[in-house]
Amino acid sequence: MILRNLFYCIFLCWCSPAMAIINGIEAEVEDFRSYVSIRAESPFPSHEGKEINACGGTLIAPRWVLTANHCWPAYQAVSNGGEPVFVGVNIGTDGFFEQKIQIVDYILAPAKIGHERVDAALLELAEDATEHGAIVANIFDGNLTNGTETTTVGLGQGLEGEPLLYYESVVTESALCDSPRVDFDELHDFCVGIPESTQRAGYGDSGGPLFIQGGPSGTEYQVAGIVKGGVKANATGIEETENIRYTDANKLRDWISAVTGYDMSSDNSD
């Protein structure tokens, strides 16, 4: 357990963008019932063994969650006979979940799609999350042109009972995320950020969803990206820029359909 907690601490502190959703705003949870939280025992002494959000995810089919490949330390125990791993679904206004469902399997995205790396994974759940009030997110199929407005939601490394937060930004030039200090795959990733903004994703938000409003009404929150990570401001420091890297969910549509057997072209909203 000590080694596992140490591994989580290293993972959470160094594999995610920054501390929580910085300057995030409390979200209207009814708009984001597709949000999923991967739960883990906190490695931080101040939390006294309580449960925290290790990574985010999106309900992409009734029993499947889309998250980041690099969140693997949070769910790898599923395959090695370790302790059960659960996700929280349908978060309420009080920060508590309607249900926690065990992860029974996971499938990492192919190491390469074409010739590029892809930071995505699918988690199979033990039961249908929609039976507990969660909804399946539709995938945004529009163009991710510069200036497209986005909404990212997450819990950071929050304890249960803390609110879901969001921040709004825009798609920006890939060059701002394509740094030699980070992994950026221009074919399957995109960059989001506003110059000098003080809002961005943070620790524990990796794997969580970026939404763009679309659908027939133009107001449905459709998942467009998976939080991949921040961008280092320099080679030696820990400071990061205002830009965040995201994996393009639309580029994964065929793979998701093949794994889940779910028709990703259907309208899943309720």
Side-chain angles (χ1 to χ4, degrees):
M1 178 61 71
I2 293 175
L3 289 176
R4 182 183 177 191
N5 284 349
L6 178 61
F7 191 37
Y8 269 129
C9 186
I10 293 171
F11 164 68
L12 291 169
C13 292
W14 296 105
C15 292
S16 302
M19 292 183 64
I21 283 197
I22 297 176
N23 295 321
I25 301 167
E26 188 167 342
E28 293 287 343
V29 294
E30 284 298 313
D31 291 334
F32 304 111
R33 288 190 290 131
S34 61
Y35 176 79
V36 173
S37 168
I38 302 174
R39 312 305 294 168
E41 181 181 330
S42 174
F44 303 108
S46 62
H47 287 166
E48 299 179 337
K50 294 178 181 177
E51 187 181 273
I52 63 169
N53 176 65
C55 270
T58 308
L59 190 69
I60 204 69
R63 292 181 57 174
W64 291 89
V65 173
L66 179 66
T67 188
N69 187 321
H70 80 262
C71 285
W72 177 80
Y75 51 78
Q76 55 88 24
V78 171
S79 65
N80 66 12
E83 297 177 12
V85 184
F86 294 83
V87 299
V89 300
N90 192 15
I91 190 170
T93 56
D94 59 0
F96 288 85
F97 300 97
E98 180 68 23
Q99 183 71 4
K100 292 177 185 174
I101 304 175
Q102 187 173 348
I103 302 170
V104 296
D105 197 7
Y106 65 84
I107 298 176
L108 303 179
K112 292 185 177 180
I113 294 181
H115 299 286
E116 305 294 338
R117 297 176 298 277
V118 177
D119 188 7
L122 287 166
L123 312 179
E124 184 179 7
L125 305 182
E127 57 184 288
D128 184 341
T130 65
E131 294 182 358
H132 302 286
I135 66 168
V136 171
N138 287 308
I139 295 178
F140 179 75
D141 62 0
N143 294 321
L144 294 174
T145 55
N146 289 351
T148 300
E149 296 179 348
T150 68
T151 301
T152 299
V153 299
L155 291 169
Q157 292 174 322
L159 296 166
E160 190 166 13
E162 296 183 8
L164 184 68
L165 301 179
Y166 79 94
Y167 83 100
E168 296 177 338
S169 192
V170 297
V171 176
T172 191
E173 298 176 16
S174 294
L176 295 175
C177 285
D178 195 2
S179 163
R181 294 184 288 273
V182 296
D183 172 21
F184 185 80
D185 160 14
E186 190 170 359
L187 184 60
H188 295 100
D189 296 343
F190 62 96
C191 188
V192 167
I194 296 174
E196 300 183 5
S197 173
T198 60
Q199 293 181 306
R200 56 193 172 102
Y203 286 155
D205 293 323
S206 287
L210 172 144
F211 294 106
I212 294 176
Q213 289 184 289
S217 68
T219 60
E220 175 193 346
Y221 284 97
Q222 299 182 322
V223 62
I226 307 165
V227 178
K228 185 171 184 176
V231 180
K232 297 296 182 184
N234 53 64
T236 58
I238 62 172
E239 294 83 6
E240 296 183 337
T241 73
E242 63 273 18
N243 303 305
I244 299 291
R245 297 166 290 137
Y246 291 84
T247 301
D248 188 341
N250 194 35
K251 301 291 180 64
L252 302 169
R253 187 185 295 268
D254 291 344
W255 172 67
I256 294 170
S257 291
V259 171
T260 66
Y262 196 68
D263 182 4
M264 301 312 300
S265 65
S266 63
D267 182 356
N268 307 310
S269 58
D270 60 4

